[in-house]
Amino acid sequence: MAEINSLIPKELSALMAGNRIPHAVALESSDKSALSECANYLAGWAICKSSNRPCGECAACRKLKSGNHPDVYTAKPEGKKNAVKISEIRAICADSVIKPNESDCKVYIIPEADKMEAAPQNAFLKLMEEPPQPMLFILLCENTLGLLRTIRSRCSVFKLNAEGGDDEQAKALAEDIAKALCQSKEISLIYACCALDDRQTALNALGCLSELVRSATVCGITGTLSGDNPLVKELSMSVKRRGLIAMQESIAKAADYLRKNVNLSLVSSTLAINLRYNKYL
Ligand SMILES: [Zn+2]
């Protein structure tokens, strides 16, 4: 297990330091223990009583560490799919109206949030939209593309810093597709999409690609570039805004097919066709 600081993305640390954590945060990583470590760190930030949050030493932090903090609740995934069920979300909704015991806000951690069925996600969405009091929702995902779009759009999404090589590979595949989208040759896009030849890496690559396209959309609207990826800028200049928005849909759809076990080469070739179509919208 790496040091917590090396896992937390810079943007998230900056928000914590500036006291500007949004009320719903989705953390993404393929490393489950890294996800729960970061969720607890963030929960500690929310409930810690010291000036340097989370201190890890005050009574609140110690209670959290032993899993006994009354204002921090971690939902329990269950069943074959190991996902949080609607009964659990209903229990959280009922608990959410009760005032916090010791802190200024209540914290709900939802592990495997991207594995939840539509019904619990929708029930949770209602709570996210109208929290009865100050709350922090932390959604843990292997891939945030598994969240309903309505939920994803209400969360600030942070990808945990990767340790392994898998994520590097996914990032490189996503960048190849983004580069191909900036070129006029159709064949490079087909090659880049067909390089997605492993289901899990493809899912991760689609997550990276979605992030690139999202940043390019923002860059196209505001003219500002977050981070220092010149590819994002190039993409924002090569594809119109409505094309980029349509691309997000195509990527989300491809990820959905992958999760439903649709044939991988069918998914990647359909993705290439859809992206090409989106490009000229
Ligand atoms: Zn503390």
Side-chain angles (χ1 to χ4, degrees), residues 44 47-50 52-62:
I47 52 98
C48 174
K49 301 286 187 190
S50 143
N52 184 21
R53 301 185 285 162
C55 69
E57 284 158 15
C58 69
C61 283
R62 273 184 282 139

Side-chain angles (χ1 to χ4, degrees), residues 3 12 14 35 44 72 117 145 154 173 232 237 250 265 275:
E3 273 286 302
L12 186 57
L35 280 175
V72 178
E117 305 264 3
L145 286 176
R154 280 169 180 81
L173 286 164
V232 167
M237 291 190 301
S250 303
S265 54
L275 290 178

Side-chain angles (χ1 to χ4, degrees), residues 199-230:
R199 195 168 291 271
Q200 189 53 52
T201 314
L203 260 175
N204 295 343
L206 290 180
C208 299
L209 181 63
S210 168
E211 198 53 43
L212 285 171
V213 173
R214 198 182 62 85
S215 303
T217 317
V218 174
C219 179
I221 296 169
T222 62
T224 52
L225 189 58
S226 75
D228 53 358
N229 192 342

